[in-house]
Amino acid sequence: MDLTERFLKYVAVYTHSAKDVKKDPTTERQWDLARILVEDLKEIGCADARVDEWCRVYATCPASPGWEDVPAIGFVAHMDTVVDAPGDNIKPRIVHYEGGDIVLSEGIVTSPKDFPFMDKYIGHDLIVTDGTTLLGADDKAGIAEIMDMVQRFQQHPEIGHRKVAICFTPDEEVGRGPLHFDYEGFGAKMGYTVDGGALGGVCYETFNAANGVITIKGFNIHPGSAKNKMKNAVKIAARFITMLPDAESPEHTEGFEGYYHVGDIEGSESGARMHIIVRDHDRAKFEARKAFVHNLVDYLNSVYGEGTVTLELEDVYYNMKEMILPHMELIDNAMKAMESVGATPRIEAARGGTDGATFSYGGMPCPNLSTGGENAHGVKEFASINDMKKMVDVLQYIACSRE
Ligand SMILES: [Zn+2]
């Protein structure tokens, strides 16, 4: 099976995960792909391929003779697709891109006007959707590339490589991918997630993240006799929001800029509740941001009375950079691998978390690599066959490195 056939085979399997479901996997349908992958892994020489009770697929590809002493390397990709767009009945199509608009279906186009980076794909074979569903390159491109590399090792035993450990997780899109991960049984002490976008991306920074709930206790009384008595929780909530620096919000920040974000609010005069998230790549700034939010709460309590506003703010994940810095050979190697295929390596900072961040804090340093997919999480998602092929070479370069 070649890379494109394999990719098309996997995107045909419907694997939406589900939000707010507290079981693993969150949807039964992810087993369908897990079972296929176990069979396919066995076919390409991974005799130990297995799926565990939580739908995590594991396999190893043993080291070539003479490579047994080189530390094993892991590759991780996810099987689920995001619920932000329909994910079943995908009708992929291969387009040889020569510039201009790609008509996905009537009235739905992928246009360089919306996506100026399209120019770099002129001359590529792109796999696109019909404009009504996801493609699922996020992250079946990653899966197909890892599988294609292993198949190449089976077909070409003369290519010497270290031991490669593989895991395909369910539920990455809902933050449950790293749960139950078998760090001992996986077979490698460091690895990469293959779950990024355009060719060349290497990511080892994520946000530091805290999520919080703010509860405001008001006091309601008939508006006609409210003078000096009513404490309007809705107004206190509004006051809190306006005290956050507006320029430091998701809609006004990018790159390494952190933010505060109140994403919802509900309430009445007698009580209000809102959710706040705090994000920053820099740990010291992150701590300062959390302290600022606590200060606002203290200030409002000094104005409206102790106990009016309560805040529960919890750290949810940290920037994986701290865990990667002692293992910068992972980054150096990835950069060299990108250069070896003629790609310009790009260090990217995720404005979010990655499963690799959780793996890194769990004891397996795990930066993220590109896949050659673009426009993830929407109906204009596409993948470049040319760049996916290059990614297989990138993975091979890393697996065939003694560093
Ligand atoms: Zn992904």
Side-chain angles (χ1 to χ4, degrees):
M1 207 182 323
D2 76 13
L3 176 63
T4 305
E5 288 165 349
R6 193 178 283 288
F7 176 75
L8 293 174
K9 175 178 177 181
Y10 300 154
V11 295
V13 186
Y14 176 36
T15 57
H16 263 174
S17 46
K19 285 179 186 163
D20 299 323
V21 174
K22 300 262 180 289
K23 72 183 173 73
D24 302 290
T26 59
T27 55
E28 292 298 311
R29 63 177 78 92
Q30 294 180 76
W31 288 106
D32 298 342
L33 183 55
R35 291 191 189 103
I36 291 171
L37 290 172
V38 169
E39 285 315 303
D40 287 0
L41 280 160
K42 286 185 175 161
E43 209 166 284
I44 57 176
C46 298
D48 64 351
R50 65 199 185 278
V51 58
D52 72 6
E53 60 186 302
W54 299 287
C55 198
R56 272 134 193 88
V57 175
Y58 295 96
T60 58
C61 177
S64 308
W67 285 73
E68 295 87 350
D69 293 342
V70 184
I73 193 73
F75 291 111
V76 180
H78 67 89
M79 300 184 285
D80 64 316
T81 51
V82 76
V83 296
D84 299 4
D88 61 344
N89 202 12
I90 292 172
K91 298 186 191 71
R93 182 164 61 94
I94 299 174
V95 175
H96 183 73
Y97 187 57
E98 287 170 336
D101 292 357
I102 303 172
V103 179
L104 302 175
S105 57
E106 216 186 301
I108 308 175
V109 293
T110 298
S111 169
K113 286 189 204 100
D114 304 322
F115 308 107
F117 58 77
M118 287 304 293
D119 276 1
K120 73 176 178 227
Y121 293 107
I122 292 175
H124 286 220
D125 290 319
L126 305 181
I127 306 178
V128 301
T129 67
D130 68 354
T132 65
T133 68
L134 296 163
L135 176 60
D138 175 12
D139 184 27
K140 288 159 184 170
I143 294 177
E145 289 157 9
I146 295 166
M147 298 285 285
D148 197 58
M149 172 194 65
V150 174
Q151 176 177 283
R152 196 182 285 176
F153 290 156
Q154 183 197 37
Q155 290 170 349
H156 296 276
E158 73 278 11
I159 304 175
H161 63 86
R162 50 177 150 173
K163 177 181 170 189
V164 173
I166 297 160
C167 179
F168 299 133
T169 69
D171 296 324
E172 186 272 349
E173 300 290 1
V174 292
R176 300 180 74 84
L179 297 184
H180 311 292
F181 183 74
D182 182 4
Y183 289 92
E184 281 307 304
F186 178 53
K189 296 268 173 267
M190 32 194 172
Y192 298 88
T193 49
V194 186
D195 187 22
L199 177 70
V202 177
C203 172
Y204 65 101
E205 286 222 43
T206 54
F207 272 142
N208 295 291
N211 292 357
V213 182
I214 296 168
T215 311
I216 299 160
K217 240 192 253 161
F219 178 70
N220 195 15
I221 186 161
H222 189 282
S225 50
K227 187 169 182 182
N228 296 332
K229 297 191 189 79
M230 183 191 280
K231 197 153 78 173
N232 188 345
V234 171
K235 279 170 77 174
I236 299 170
R239 189 159 176 193
F240 175 87
I241 293 169
T242 54
M243 286 193 297
L244 294 171
D246 190 38
E248 296 171 31
S249 55
E251 61 271 40
H252 295 297
T253 50
E254 62 184 1
F256 282 94
E257 297 165 335
Y259 61 73
Y260 308 91
H261 177 57
V262 174
D264 61 56
I265 176 166
E266 59 179 24
S268 64
E269 298 95 327
S270 53
R273 224 169 102 93
M274 43 195 179
H275 287 92
I276 184 166
I277 67 173
V278 177
R279 299 288 187 265
D280 208 298
H281 291 99
D282 184 277
R283 185 66 181 263
K285 287 185 189 162
F286 172 66
E287 296 299 332
R289 284 184 189 281
K290 287 190 295 176
F292 177 70
V293 173
H294 281 286
N295 284 344
L296 289 186
V297 170
D298 291 345
Y299 169 74
L300 288 171
N301 280 329
S302 76
V303 174
Y304 295 101
E306 206 45 51
T308 303
V309 184
T310 51
L311 166 69
E312 288 165 64
L313 189 61
E314 265 183 22
D315 292 358
V316 282
Y317 57 84
Y318 298 112
N319 188 342
M320 74 163 126
K321 186 179 181 180
E322 290 173 42
M323 296 294 122
I324 302 294
L325 283 179
H327 305 278
M328 281 307 277
E329 69 276 10
L330 286 169
I331 304 305
D332 297 342
N333 229 353
M335 306 281 278
K336 281 189 228 159
M338 294 293 180
E339 281 165 1
S340 77
V341 300
T344 311
R346 270 187 334 276
I347 295 287
E348 293 172 337
R351 289 182 66 77
T354 68
D355 277 2
T358 310
F359 291 132
S360 298
Y361 277 91
M364 181 176 76
C366 195
N368 187 39
L369 302 175
S370 58
T371 59
E374 286 270 19
N375 292 349
H377 295 202
V379 297
K380 296 184 181 177
E381 187 183 15
F382 67 88
S384 158
I385 295 175
N386 306 57
D387 287 352
M388 286 172 60
K389 285 181 178 163
K390 286 188 174 179
M391 274 311 300
V392 178
D393 296 336
V394 165
L395 302 183
Q396 179 184 333
Y397 181 102
I398 292 168
C400 298
S401 158
R402 289 183 183 269
E403 281 164 54

